[in-house]
Each structure stands twice: as C-alpha cells, then as structure tokens.
C-alpha cells in the first residue's frame, strides 16, 4: 500500500489524479477502487476555476464551482430550471457544498459490483467479466448497455446539460484548450467499459458553457425510492418551445436508466408540430425507451422511464403556458 | 501547511489519505464528530469549513479549504449553543449518535436561510440520517431556534 | 439545562461516548485496532489465506485466521444469535458470503485498513448458495415453532369454514430482507486482565446473556455473568466474575447494535497479540457480521360472513432463516388481533446460506400484520364495508384463542382517536384529485404486540442518608431507559430524582432484563418495584416494634413510600429519612419473572394507524402526507420519550413500507446494496405530518401498567400506507417495500392504466 503524494500545482503524471471536492475520489480510494500514486489538488486554483459569468447570452460556469454555489445562483434558478433542479435534487446539502461541477460530470457508476471491490467487473478490472449481468441489476441501465457492462451513469447534472446542448472547455496537460459538447464527453461501454470518457489523462475541465436560454418550458424530473439523498432510479430533463399550442422544439434526455446521459433525438422529432397532452406525453415517453433492453428483472424500468419523461413533458408544458398566461410560479 | 480546527492550528498529517474525520478522531482525539458510514452516506460526520457544512469523512485533511469548526467548537466551554439548547428542549435525538452531525447541519441550515417552511427544513436536513428517526423533533428544534434568533435580532 | 433525558446534555455536546470514542483517558490504555477480512462468496472452503504482504506493512501486528485463532468453546445463546450455532474463525468452512475469514490487527486504523486490503484469499468454491425463498423450495420444512412464536396452530376446522364462507380472499404477500442499520456501526474493546479474566467494552442489549456468551466461549464457568442466585440454581456454582463487560451508550439498536461475533472477536484478537484490541465494524461489515430481518412470504386466505365477521383465517408463512437459531416469529401475533371462528397457521422455514437473522423492531408481528391487514381490506372491499367498520365488527373483546379477558385493552379508543384525528369518516373518496393534481388515498390498519416480561433481579439499597441506589446493567440505546427508570425509582421511593443513583455496571446480585422487544422498561421496573416493596415491608416490621415510632403497635398492612414518607394504609406516616437514620441502610433484591403473556389475563399492546397519501398518477411518486397512530400502550412514563419512541417506530414502519430492502446476489449469496446510500432508510424529507396519540392510560391490574411502546408502533404502519396507495390508485400492494417496481406492478394489473384515467 503506497501512500500517494500531494501536489498543489501542475498536472497529474501517469497514475496520478486531479482531486476537486473529493466526494467521489476519496470514496473510491477508500474502497480501493482508485489507487492514485499522487493527487493534484485543484483547491489552490479555485480562484481562477470557479465562478459563474454571463457569456454571450448564456453562462460560463467554472469547473471548480460547487454544486451549492451554482444552485444558489439566481440566473441558474431563473433561466435554467432543469440545471437548477438537477443540482437541488442531487446528493445532500453537505455533499453539494463540497462537490464541484467538473467532478460531478466525471463521477463513476454506483453499480454495487463495481463498488464492492472484488466481484468480477469489466469496468474496474477489464476482462474479468460483468457480475451485474444475471445478477442484481435492479439499479442498473437498460439503455446503452453492452454485453460487457450495464452500469448506469448516476449523475443528474450531466443529464440536464446534455439536454441543453451545453459544452465545456478542456485544457490538456500541455495547456492546449479545446471545447467539446458535454454529450461527447461520455462513451458507451461497448467492449471497453473502463474507458468512460473521451478525456485524455491529465485533461482538465475548466468550464461549462450554457447556451442562450431560449426554451420557455424546461424542467428536470427525478424519480427515486426515497424523497431525498438518493440517486435517480430514472430521471428526465426536458426543454420545450411552442408555436401557439403546438410544440416547435423539444429536447429530451434520460438519466438513471442509461450508461450515459441519454439523448432521445428520435422521440423529440415526433413531438414537433403536435399538441402536448398527457397521452402524447406518455407516448413520447415510451418512444424514448424504444431501444431499451431490460433484463427480466428490470422489466418495470421501461415504464418507469417513460413516466419520468411524460411527467417532465407535462411539467415543462404547464410552465410554458402558465408563463404565457402571466403567472410564473416556476417549477 | 497548517489546518485550523476550532481555532487551533495543527500540522497536516503525512499520509494524505487521512480524512479530516479520521484525523480529528484518531490523531487529535476530537471524538464528538461521529462516523456512521465513512462514505458520505449518512451525515453523522458533518462539520463546518468556513461556516459551510461538509462531510468530514470525504474530506482529505490535507486539502481542507478553510477553517474547521466541529461540535466541540461551536461554543466556549460550559454554555450551550442555541441549537444545542433547542435540541435538548425538543428532545431532538434519542441515541445521540447522529446528533452532533444533525446540530452542525441545523446551524448551517439556519444560516443558509433554508427554514421558510417545515418542508424546506426537511429537504435541507435530509443529508443527516437519523435511524432513531427524531426527525419531527429535529424540525421542531430548528423552528424554535430560528424563532428565538429572529426575536433576539429584532 | 438537561432536557428530557439524563444524558441529554452530553449528547448534544458530542460528549456522550460510544465505544469507538473511548480514548486512552477513558480506558486507561491504547488499544490496537482490528478489522475484519470477509469472504466474497457464500459457500466453499478457505484453501489459504496469504498474509505475508499484510504483515509486511509497518504497524500491522498480526493476521488471525481459522488456523491460528484461539479455539472457542460451544456457547448457548439465549438470544438465538449466531454464536449459538456457529463461532467465528473456527473452521475453514464458508457458510455465507460476508463471513469473517481473518482479522487484521495493527497499531493504527490506516495500517489495519492497508492490511485488510493486502490479505490474499484463496477459496475453493462450493455448490451455489441458496439465499432467497424463490430458490429454496427444496429447503422448506414445516415447523412446529417459528422462533419464539408457534409454527402451527389451529382453532376449529378453518379449511371447512373457508370453503363455506360467504366471501373469501386469497393473496400471497412478500417482505424483503432488510437490516436494522443503526447509525453507529459499532466497536468492541477487549483486554485480558492479570487474573486471567477479560474486560470488554461494548454496547449490548442484554448484558448478562452477552457476558455469559463470552464466558462460555472462553472457557470460564459457563454461567459467568449470571448473578449469584441464578448461577447457584442453574449450576450450583458461583459465578467467577471473570468477564467484565462494561456497557456503553449504543448508537441505536432496533434489535441489534453490536454484533455478537464482535464480542468474541475482540477478546480473541487481544489474546493473540497479548495487548488490548479494539475491533471496529466498517459499515459494510455491519450487513454480514450483524443480523438482519429475514425474508418472508405469506399466503393468507380469509373467509368472512356476509356481515363481515371472520369465519376463517388460514395463514401459511414461509420464513427464511440464516446461520443463527433465530426465526422471524411470524405466527406469534396474527391470531390474537381479531375475533374469529376458526384458524389454521402452518409455517415453513427454509435454512438459507445467510448470516444469522435476528431481532428487529416488531419481530414477526410487523410482517404478519401487514399481510392480515391487507387481507382485511380485501374482505372489506368484497363486502363494500368501510375498512374501519370491518375491524370494529371483528374486535376481540376477549383473547380470540385462549378466551382469557384482556388485562387492559383500549383498541376501540385507539380507533376512535386515530379516526377523529385524520378525519376518517369525512375523508374524500379514494382517487380524488387534490388541488395540486395528485390523487388522494386514505388507509388504516390495526397494530398489536405481545406483552412480555423477561426475568430480572434488581438490587436496591436505601442508604442511611436517604438516597436510593440501584444496580442494574441496563443498556441505553436511545430508548430513554435511564431516564425512565430513574423517574420510576423516584416515584416508587418518593425520593427526588437527584437522590436516585442508577448504576449500570454489572454486579453478581443483579440481573437486568435485556432491552429487547420493548420489554426492558417494565421487566426491570417490576424487579425494582419488588425490591422497594421488600424494603418498605422490612422498614415497617422494624418500625412496628419501635416504641419511638408512630407505627408502634399499628396493625400490619401494605406500606408505601410517598413524598419522602413511609405511609401506612390508615394514614400513619413517618419521614423516610428518620426511619433510615434510625435503622440504617436497607437493601433488598427484587425479582421479575418470565412471562410471555401467559398469566391469568391476556396482555398485549394495541394501536390504530391512519395514513393520508398523495400519489402522482404519472410517476406514482408517493407522499405520505399525514401519518397518525393512536396507541394503547398502557402507562406513559415520560411523555416526551414515549413520543420519541412512537414516532421513531412509525418512521421505521414508513421505511419498511416504502424503501427498506437489502438485496442479494443469487449466485454468490452476497448482500449487494450493502451501503447506507443504497440500502435506503427514511430521510428527514420522507416524513410529513406525523402524530402519535396515546390512549388507554392507567387501566388494568399490572402494578406498573406498562406495555411495550417501541415495537407496537411499527406494526400497523406499512399496511396503512399500502392501503392508502390502494385507495388512491386501485393498485393493491402485495410486496414490501413498495418501491416504484411494486407500485408499477400493482397498477399494471388494472385496466386501463391509471395514467390514462387521470389524463381523461
Ligand atoms: C452519498 C452520495 C450521494 C450522491 N448523490 C448524488 C446524486 O443524487 N446526484 C448526483 O449527480 N451526484 C450525486 N453524488 C455524487 C457527487 O455529486 C459527486 O461525487 C461529486 O459531484 C463529485 O465532485 P467532486 O468535486 O467531489 O469530484 P472529485 O471526487 O474530486 O473528483 C471526481 C473525479 O473527477 C476528476 N476531476 C474532478 N474535477 C476535475 C476537473 N475539473 N477536470 C478533470 N477531472 C476532474 C477527479 O480526478 C476524479 O476522478 C453523490 C455522492 C455521494 C457520496
Ligand atoms: S455493470 Fe459494469 S460496472 Fe457493474 S459489474 Fe458489470 S462491468 Fe462492472
Ligand atoms: S460518516 Fe461521513 S457521511 Fe457517514
Ligand atoms: S438519535 Fe439515534 S440516529 Fe439519530
């Protein structure tokens, strides 16, 4: 058991890791799942890497901004209710004070076999097999799975960000910057479930960019088995625009049920030009789950996901029409 | 590098894997802060860093971003913090194991202003599990403490 | 300020010490740290344990395995805990996943952790473990007894009555295994003393039984820990007093706090390294080194007459059992709740490859009454009766089986109080839309729990300066026993609480009843009262012979202690302080015997639970808007503490209804979601309006008039919540917890879906 060393500047060398709030990394280090040889503390760079700024009608969020700070921001609350709710419904107040936006996007699955530290698991120990398949898969994915891994992406924020089409700034270890869509951050498990993102070792997420908020109905619905302090069993982020009574633009993503934040482009298309009543909402929800491949023990999850989407569509549509009608209760 | 806990400076531990919780409990003998899960899943280890509530079991001692206050540091010897008094008065505990964490969280909850309704208090106190389930009494204590503070400041 | 509890100020200051908090200054020594290595698979044998890497870590002192562990002797476990069946680290055999296979002992917690991570396990896998009832058909065996409850019982010919009943129901209900999950994970400190005895620091629920277990395992007189009289009776030998178990605060318990294994592991480790050791459970350890409430499935058939009277109850439970003797006593209570013509109880138990199951709040009864009450609702629905009315019609005026009168029963008052508080008779129709668009549902259920008394012996001394000193090794785990007993002693002796000294250290004269099954308070109180009565009787004898005393020459009679005075029935009185000053300190031992409700009168506590629920028709999200319980729990000692117990139990019932479930991997036999973040228990946000009402105070013949509190209050909650869901949606719950999965199943059986209904 070698003790890792701590750096307060620079970039992580091979086998080293960034540490931001530490709420996922420290947890995984204790479980023996992450064993970095060294940690590069992002704390000293908080001043430059955190904060929320207006940017061309949208917002730029520093990657070291905590979930709590972001949640408190009035612009987030007003213009990005899906983001606000995704944050407000995540984890616990204490964790949100510690956790950073960048770390949140990169949090790892809660698959219990991954976390137990010893079961065969292709994500943790490539090539050992997947214990979840044929095992306790109650909390795992039904979308985007492969025969090698069915772990779900557990986070909330990314589901809202992918729905909004947000992108982010990344700096590689030599200081070169690039922008990538949040959606493109995540990789399907395929044959290599251990490769979860498209980042290279040492890449640093510096900021997240929220686009100009054009949607008039926008929300995030999170379903879970207790009222708070729990990951999503299923979630849905939705943004709608209307032309009169008809939907003119729709964006839908699903969380909790998929290996990556799951964009439902086909189902979105079917909504355009239609009046959104509850029946349509439910139909759309079911369409979003069309590609689901539940195991026999997961059969209820298709319906659960469909209902999460339906609820989000109904809420977002109410929001649009009540704003139009002059009362803005918000979500 | 020094780490300030309840106003006292301590050199940070050599083993950087040491969490703030273990550092306080194992190295400093500050055992008021409890360990319920050691994985961020119960809230028993809640302390304040620069007035904000955090979980000391997921915080490395070496990277604490500010000054730490624990249940041992919220009052000077002898007295009770108004929140402690409210917990006593409203019997907002049973076994007492989650209690230091609940009190630290409750103080922060009030400072954050998340106390406009019972429902709001409940949501913002949901990061502190209490298996004895003194939940309604905890809500009553926070409400009472808030009223008291409000009266005192007017 | 002290609040409502003696230890309150320490608790809010973070100064109440739990075992893992004890430091050098509290213990007088610095213990080494021991952590467990557990097996990931649930069957087979340990071929080898490679400990060289662990031992190479600086600070690691020893790795103990079945090969080098001290041999333990067989123990008899009165609490039916696992060591009575299997002892830790005694063989290479693997009985369940998560079983301890090695102990790592080190100077520091971090070194011990590193040591655990470095131990290599080589296991020869055995045949696939069987861990859930669905896989255990071949292991089900019909039983005469299920734990402390009956496995079989009959009244009349229930099958014939069922066949001839006007209406019948037939459902199979299921309860998932779950864990007590107190927030304190627990630790045990042990040190071997120069005289060959062992000092143990732990938090235990039944001091003497646990002491005895340690004594037996380590080869002391097997009844070490039992008080002199019991010891002499049982074994005609004197207690050696070599096991010194110091009982500390417990961070919750609910049927288990410390694992029984840990009570043995810490002394074993200390023996091997020749130094004091603290064994610490990680949270994950608590799932397999400690007990759980096991899985059960119950087929229930009810037959009713046209007026709703129960003609037949046929209950057929299948109960999972783990590596301990304990079996969830599902059959104990259901036939005691309602008047009925006939019944048949036929239980089967399956021995599974799991850690020992054990006590959890409302053992057996919480499951059984869930099934029975769901059945009663079905019957009511068949007959178009109100759920409350069918319960009133079937009210058991006498014990339904023994026909003994009840010692005290205020269930009707409980129904009335609960119904009034929630507005039952004026409730909206189930499925009515609330202003926020959600559906409303109301549900109710009855609760019952057995009145038991466990043996206790209390040694009480009234000192010459008029203080009362009671030695009783009771445990304080949040139930308020210290405060409750202190108040009672004050009341029994007429002395103010600041003159009451309650010592929790074990002695050979006293034997405290365990804090189990809500029986701790009144079992111990009964023993104390007996001792106090012996003392007052003795004082009276002396005073009647004493010319200088006002009692001189008075006829004998029952004397009582009232506000500092000894008072005779005819009003003669003298200050207690004077009497004690004259006659000196007075001591006596008092006893309470064992009863399982088996006295001339039947004894049970009762309750009625009412629930108002809001259900989102689209997502099936539930909010328990109001949960109101009215409980007939006899005399209420300290109202604030009773409230806390009732509310805590109600919320645990809410957890059982909505979320509590520890899942298993059918291939390895391991608990999968073995973390607090995944094996969910209620948070603050799950609790809406909650009300606990007490009824039926101060009636009946028991001098103490107590009934259990903490167990009864969990019993009716899950069925009331399930009923409210059925009322709101029409979907009938058959399986707990009723997570989204079960709710979706419940409404899927309905055509058309509720979603469509609500959309139109
Ligand atoms: C009990 C519990 C419940 C939770 N519930 C929820 C929930 O309901 N919803 C939810 O969304 N989340 C939940 N979380 C997850 C939590 O939100 C994440 O752990 C947290 O957001 C991670 O942020 P961090 O700053 O602490 O990351 P860290 O733990 O510091 O880092 C996580 C990973 O990201 C890397 N990293 C961090 N910052 C950067 C950066 N800027 N650039 C590149 N790499 C970086 C680190 O190297 C590490 O690999 C929960 C966590 C816990 C413990
Ligand atoms: S689902 Fe993925 S993370 Fe879980 S066990 Fe399988 S490979 Fe590992
Ligand atoms: S001990 Fe830190 S959250 Fe449980
Ligand atoms: S008081 Fe016991 S866990 Fe909260």
């Amino acid at each position: 058991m070698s003790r890792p060393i701590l750096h307060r500047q620079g970039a992580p060398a091979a086998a080293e890791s960034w540490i931001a709030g530490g709420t996922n990394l420290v947890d995984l280090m204790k479980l023996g799942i992450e064993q970095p040889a060294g940690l590069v503390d992002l704390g000293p760079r908080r001043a430059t890497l955190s904060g929320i700024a207006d940017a061309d009608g949208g917002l730029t969020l520093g990657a070291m901004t905590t979930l709590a700070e972001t949640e408190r921001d009035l612009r987030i609350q007003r213009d990005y209710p899906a983001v606000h709710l995704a944050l407000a419904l995540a984890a616990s107040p204490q964790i949100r004070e510690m956790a950073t936006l960048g770390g949140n996007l990169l949090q790892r699955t809660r698959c219990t076999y991954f976390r137990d530290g010893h079961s065969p698991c292709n994500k943790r120990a490539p090539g050992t097999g997947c214990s979840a398949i044929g095992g306790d898969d109650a909390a795992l994915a039904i979308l985007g799975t492969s025969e090698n891994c069915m772990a779900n992406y557990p986070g909330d924020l990314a589901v809202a960000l992918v729905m909004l089409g947000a992108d982010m700034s990344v700096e590689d270890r030599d200081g070169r910057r690039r922008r990538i869509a949040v959606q493109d951050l995540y990789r399907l498990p395929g044959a290599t479930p251990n490769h979860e993102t498209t980042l290279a070792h040492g890449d640093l997420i510096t900021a997240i960019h929220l686009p100009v908020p054009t949607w008039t109905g926008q929300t995030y619905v999170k379903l879970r088995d207790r009222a708070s302090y729990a990951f999503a069993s299923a979630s849905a982020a939705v943004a709608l625009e209307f032309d009169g009574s008809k939907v003119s633009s729709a964006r839908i993503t699903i969380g909790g049920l998929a290996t990556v934040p799951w964009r439902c482009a086909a189902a979105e298309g079917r909504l355009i030009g239609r009046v959104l009543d509850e029946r349509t909402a439910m139909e759309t929800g079911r369409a979003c789950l069309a590609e689901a491949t539940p195991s026999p023990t997961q059969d209820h999850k298709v319906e659960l996901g469909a209902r999460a989407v339906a609820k989000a569509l109904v809420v977002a549509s109410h929001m649009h029409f009540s704003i139009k009608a002059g009362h803005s209760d918000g979500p | 590098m020094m780490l300030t806990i309840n106003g006292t400076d301590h050199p940070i531990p050599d083993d950087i894997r040491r969490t703030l919780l273990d550092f306080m409990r194992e190295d400093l003998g500050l055992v008021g802060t409890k360990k319920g899960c050691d994985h961020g899943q119960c809230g028993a280890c809640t302390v304040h860093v620069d007035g904000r509530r955090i979980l000391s079991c997921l915080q490395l001692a070496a990277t604490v971003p500010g000054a730490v206050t624990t249940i041992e540091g919220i009052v000077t010897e002898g007295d009770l913090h108004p929140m402690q008094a409210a917990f006593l008065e409203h019997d907002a505990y049973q076994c007492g194991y989650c209690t230091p964490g609940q009190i630290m969280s409750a103080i922060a909850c009030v400072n954050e202003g998340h106390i406009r309704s019972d429902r709001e208090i409940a949501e913002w106190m949901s990061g502190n599990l209490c298996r004895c389930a003194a939940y309604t009494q905890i809500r009553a204590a926070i409400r009472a403490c808030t009223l008291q503070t409000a009266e005192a400041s007017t | 300020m002290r609040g409502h509890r003696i230890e309150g100020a320490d608790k809010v200051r973070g100064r109440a010490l739990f075992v893992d908090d004890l430091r050098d200054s509290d213990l007088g020594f610095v213990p080494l740290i021991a952590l467990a290595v557990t097996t990931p698979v649930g069957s087979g044998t340990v071929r080898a344990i490679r400990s060289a890497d662990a031992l190479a870590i600086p600070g690691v002192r020893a790795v103990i395995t079945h090969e080098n562990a001290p041999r333990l002797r067989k123990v008899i476990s009165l609490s039916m805990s696992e060591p009575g069946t299997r002892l830790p680290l005694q063989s290479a055999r693997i009985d369940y996943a998560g079983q301890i296979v090695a102990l790592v002992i080190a100077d520091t917690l971090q070194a011990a952790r590193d040591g655990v991570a470095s131990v290599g396990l080589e296991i020869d896998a055995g045949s696939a473990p069987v861990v859930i009832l669905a896989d255990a058909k071949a292991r089900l065996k019909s039983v005469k007894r299920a734990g402390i409850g009956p496995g079989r019982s009959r009244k009349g010919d229930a099958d014939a009555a069922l066949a001839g009943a006007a209406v019948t129901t037939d459902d199979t209900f299921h309860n998932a295994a779950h864990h007590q999950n107190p927030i304190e994970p627990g630790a045990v400190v042990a040190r071997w003393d120069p005289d060959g005895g062992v000092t143990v620091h732990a938090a235990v629920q039944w001091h003497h039984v646990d002491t005895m277990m340690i004594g037996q395992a380590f080869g002391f007189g097997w009844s070490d820990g039992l008080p002199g009289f019991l010891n002499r009776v049982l074994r005609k030998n004197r207690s050696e007093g070599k096991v010194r178990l110091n009982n500390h605060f417990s961070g919750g318990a609910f049927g288990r706090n410390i694992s029984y294994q840990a009570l043995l592991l810490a002394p074993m480790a200390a023996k091997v390294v020749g130094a004091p050791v603290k064994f610490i459970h990680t949270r994950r350890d608590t799932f397999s080194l400690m007990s759980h409430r096991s899985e059960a499935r119950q087929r229930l058939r009810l037959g009713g007459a046209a007026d709703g009277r129960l003609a037949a109850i046929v209950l057929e439970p299948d109960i999972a059992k783990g590596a301990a003797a304990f079996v969830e006593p599902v059959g104990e209570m259901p036939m005691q709740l309602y008047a009925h013509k006939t019944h048949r109880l036929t239980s089967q138990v399956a021995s599974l490859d799991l850690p020992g199951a054990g006590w959890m709040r409302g053992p057996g009864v919480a499951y059984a009454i869930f099934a029975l009450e769901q059945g009663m609702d079905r019957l009511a629905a068949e007959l178009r009766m109100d759920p409350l009315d069918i319960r009133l019609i079937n009210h058991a005026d006498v014990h339904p089986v023994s026909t003994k009168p009840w010692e005290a029963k205020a269930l009707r008052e409980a129904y009335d109080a609960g119904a009034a508080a929630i507005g039952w008779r004026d409730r909206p129709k189930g499925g009515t839309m609330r202003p926020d668009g959600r559906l409303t549902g109301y549900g109710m259920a009855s609760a019952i729990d057995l009145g038991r008394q466990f043996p206790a012996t209390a040694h009480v001394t009234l000192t010459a300066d008029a203080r009362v000193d009671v030695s009783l090794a009771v445990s304080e785990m949040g139930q308020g026993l210290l405060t409750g007993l202190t108040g009672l002693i004050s009341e029994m002796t007429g002395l103010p609480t600041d003159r009451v000294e309650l010592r929790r250290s074990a002695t050979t004269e006293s034997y405290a009843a365990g804090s189990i099954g809500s029986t701790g308070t009144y079992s111990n109180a009964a023993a104390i009262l007996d001792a106090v009565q012996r003392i007052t009787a003795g004082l009276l004898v002396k005073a009647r012979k004493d010319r200088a005393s006002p009692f001189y020459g008075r006829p004998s009679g029952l004397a009582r202690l009232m506000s500092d005075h000894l008072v005779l029935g005819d009003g003669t009185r003298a200050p207690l302080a004077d009497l004690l000053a004259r006659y000196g300190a007075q001591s006596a031992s008092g006893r309470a015997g064992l009863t399982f409700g088996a006295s001339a009168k039947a004894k049970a506590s009762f309750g009625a639970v009412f629930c108002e629920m809001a259900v989102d028709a689209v997502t099936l999200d539930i909010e328990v808007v109001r949960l109101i319980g009215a409980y007939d729990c006899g005399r209420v000692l300290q109202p604030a503490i009773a409230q806390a117990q009732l509310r805590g139990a109600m919320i645990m019932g809410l957890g059982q209804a909505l979320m509590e479930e520890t899942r298993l991997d059918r291939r390895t036999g391991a608990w999968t979601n073995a973390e607090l973040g995944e094996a969910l228990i209620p948070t603050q946000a799950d609790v809406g309006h909650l009300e606990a009402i007490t009824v039926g105070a101060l009636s009946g013949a028991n001098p103490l008039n107590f009934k259990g509190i903490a167990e009864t209050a969990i019993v009716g909650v899950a069925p009331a919540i399930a009923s409210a869901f059925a009322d709101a949606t029409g979907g009938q719950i058959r399986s707990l917890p009723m997570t989204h999965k079960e709710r979706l199943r419940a409404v899927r059986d309905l055509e058309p879906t509720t979603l469509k209904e609500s959309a139109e």
Side-chain angles (χ1 to χ4, degrees), chain A residues 17-18 20-25 91 100 104 106-107 156 205 222 231, chain B residues 40:
Chain A
S17 190
W18 299 109
T23 58
N24 194 220
L25 188 61
T100 66
N104 187 277
L106 295 174
Q107 68 178 291
D156 293 302
I205 302 174
K222 180 173 180 177
F231 287 93

Side-chain angles (χ1 to χ4, degrees), chain A residues 229, chain B residues 21 34-46 55-58 127, chain C residues 676:
Chain A
Y229 202 7
Chain B
L21 179 61
K34 305 301 178 201
K35 183 188 288 182
C37 68
D38 214 15
H39 287 278
Q41 301 171 356
C42 75
C45 65
T46 304
L55 298 178
S56 58
C57 72
L58 292 183
Chain C
L676 277 186

Side-chain angles (χ1 to χ4, degrees), chain C residues 451-469:
Chain C
R452 293 184 197 96
Q453 180 177 290
F454 280 90
T457 319
H459 194 71
V460 177
T461 302
L462 291 183
T463 61
D465 62 346
R467 308 176 70 86
V468 57
D469 202 300

Side-chain angles (χ1 to χ4, degrees), chain A residues 109 111 113-114 120-123 129-132 140 148-151 193:
Chain A
T109 185
C111 169
Y113 298 101
F114 171 77
C121 169
N122 290 325
K123 194 186 273 299
C130 170
S131 297
L140 300 184
N148 298 300
C149 180
M150 59 188 302

